[in-house]
Amino acid sequence: MLNRATVVVIGAGQAGLSAAYHLQRRGFVSAVEQPDADRTYVVLDANPAPGGAWQHRWESLRMATVNGIFDLPGLTQPAVDASEASRDAVPRYFAGYERAFDLPVLRPVHVVAVRKADDDPDGDLVVTTDRGSWTTRFVINATGTWTNPVLPRYPGHGTFVGRQLHTHDYVRAEDFAGRRVAVVGGGISAVQLLEEISRVATTRWYTRREPVFRDGEFTPETAGRETIAKVLADVAAGRPTGSVVSYTGLIWTPYALAAKARGALDRRPMFTAIEPMGVREADGSFTPVDVILWATGFKADLAHLDPLGLRNDLGGIAMEGTQVAAEPRVHLVGIGPSQSTVGANRAGREAVTALLRRLRAGGELLAGADA
């Protein structure tokens, strides 16, 4: 038996919760409690508890360190201790948000695939999960990037006898006390992890390109607007978007300055191969290491959308706002230009506004019915 919802939101992180709020505010009701209503929605979340990816962050990531968690629409964050772990504070806020608005979040539900029900471009989509399937007019995809870590493959990758892990798997610096650790990656997380691991271990920092640190403060009014414009240009052209730091550069945060003072930011060119006991440097020399930590970022987790054929020849997905240009029944929020928490909030609202406009154009809503 197929379940039915006008809109299926996939993911209950910041972008998914924002979309759910705006759907409810515009008159959509729970597809779980009122399945026969005209305008319904449901949120499918793969996590076992509220909090999105934040519940999986490493232990030492504190609220004072994260790059800003903006309020979800309609509910201000409670005051938090800046020294509290973000993996505790943010999920608590998200859980309270779900309760406050009684959002129809089902979890854990893993979405396997999204397909067209038929050849009608205005017809239904079918969302297949490990707990049944849903037919829907629209999908707002808010699955983020945390579940799709990028793990490069280098010659000899499988021969290494030490430990290899990704930022996705990192928990605490103490796990590497007294070890020789190669940290790979030129992004914000790499610098954060270098700073703390270098307190208890011998670290080496490897990047493909020379890291670029930005002088001055990164502000939404100047650098933020410039960065979003660059990302939007890539998205509109259907080009794959790069990492956040590829647009912004690195910033001299307190933890970056601390890492520099400790000598942890003495960057080395990327090694050419991995050997059982270490890595082969670009100059041909050998460096013994016990651990390789791949702080090499994440990509949007969109494999479940592959049956829809959204990607172009460049490997990107052309979008108009949040809407996929080639498939207007699908909206992508919380990735690309809306990957920041403030951008995710805006994207949730934009997706709901766009799909209401499409419903109205199809004669399924009276003018002004979404006010």
Side-chain angles (χ1 to χ4, degrees):
M1 176 180 173
L2 289 175
N3 301 294
R4 175 76 190 172
T6 312
V7 184
V8 171
V9 180
I10 305 176
Q14 184 111 8
L17 293 180
S18 172
Y21 169 85
H22 287 290
L23 285 166
Q24 186 182 90
R25 188 167 177 266
R26 306 297 279 273
F28 288 78
V29 299
S30 168
V32 178
E33 296 180 359
Q34 302 181 56
D36 297 324
D38 290 336
R39 298 160 66 183
T40 62
Y41 77 107
V42 68
V43 183
L44 308 180
D45 187 42
N47 283 293
W54 289 101
Q55 63 195 285
H56 308 298
R57 304 288 186 181
W58 56 93
E59 287 183 356
S60 61
L61 187 62
R62 304 290 154 173
M63 293 301 291
T65 310
V66 298
N67 294 327
I69 305 300
F70 287 82
D71 292 343
L72 282 159
L75 185 66
T76 303
Q77 294 179 69
V80 296
D81 184 345
S83 65
E84 184 176 9
S86 61
R87 65 190 293 173
D88 297 327
V90 179
R92 185 172 63 248
Y93 172 47
F94 283 13
Y97 191 84
E98 291 182 18
R99 290 193 301 270
F101 294 103
D102 194 23
L103 301 178
V105 182
L106 302 181
R107 62 166 59 91
V109 178
H110 295 265
V111 173
V112 178
V114 180
R115 296 182 172 86
K116 301 174 184 178
D118 50 42
D119 294 330
D120 182 355
D122 293 317
D124 286 337
L125 298 172
V126 178
V127 180
T128 303
T129 83
D130 61 348
R131 291 177 56 184
S133 297
W134 291 79
T135 59
T136 186
R137 289 297 312 281
F138 299 96
V139 166
I140 298 179
N141 189 86
T143 46
T145 62
W146 183 257
T147 51
N148 192 23
V150 175
L151 189 61
R153 304 291 294 187
Y154 274 78
H157 188 280
T159 68
F160 187 58
V161 299
R163 181 185 179 191
Q164 294 191 67
L165 72 161
H166 190 274
T167 308
H168 178 274
D169 310 302
Y170 178 81
V171 178
R172 62 185 71 85
E174 289 71 22
D175 293 341
F176 309 110
R179 314 295 282 175
R180 298 165 296 186
V181 183
V183 178
V184 182
I188 297 168
S189 294
V191 175
Q192 289 179 337
L193 300 185
L194 270 166
E195 193 282 319
E196 61 183 65
I197 295 172
S198 63
R199 301 177 202 168
V200 299
T202 300
T203 57
R204 300 287 185 269
W205 186 26
Y206 296 89
T207 68
R208 288 189 297 135
R209 304 182 191 87
E210 187 72 38
V212 176
F213 280 86
R214 185 186 190 105
D215 292 324
E217 192 175 355
F218 187 92
T219 63
E221 293 76 18
T222 54
R225 189 180 301 115
E226 173 188 323
T227 298
I228 291 173
K230 291 177 182 178
V231 181
L232 284 172
D234 282 343
V235 168
R239 294 186 292 265
T241 56
S243 64
V244 172
V245 77
S246 70
Y247 295 99
T248 65
L250 291 164
I251 302 169
W252 285 114
T253 57
Y255 58 79
L257 291 170
K260 181 181 180 181
R262 199 177 293 117
L265 295 188
D266 294 336
R267 172 258 180 186
R268 297 186 177 197
M270 193 61 203
F271 48 75
T272 60
I274 301 171
E275 300 182 15
M277 303 300 293
V279 298
R280 186 61 57 181
E281 301 281 359
D283 64 3
S285 62
F286 177 78
T287 297
V289 298
D290 305 303
V291 179
I292 301 175
L293 173 56
W294 299 93
T296 42
F298 301 80
K299 289 185 178 179
D301 182 9
L302 302 176
H304 53 286
L305 300 180
D306 285 349
L308 297 175
L310 305 181
R311 295 190 183 277
N312 57 30
D313 293 341
L314 298 175
I317 300 175
M319 293 168 59
E320 299 170 356
T322 63
Q323 181 178 284
V324 176
E327 180 47 85
R329 292 171 291 185
V330 177
H331 291 260
L332 305 181
V333 297
I335 63 172
S338 63
Q339 191 166 333
S340 68
T341 54
V342 65
N345 282 354
R346 293 171 180 164
R349 181 179 65 242
E350 182 179 347
V352 173
T353 300
L355 68 84
L356 280 166
R357 190 181 303 122
R358 187 169 176 84
L359 283 171
R360 192 186 308 116
E364 299 175 53
L365 286 177
L366 296 174
D370 57 325

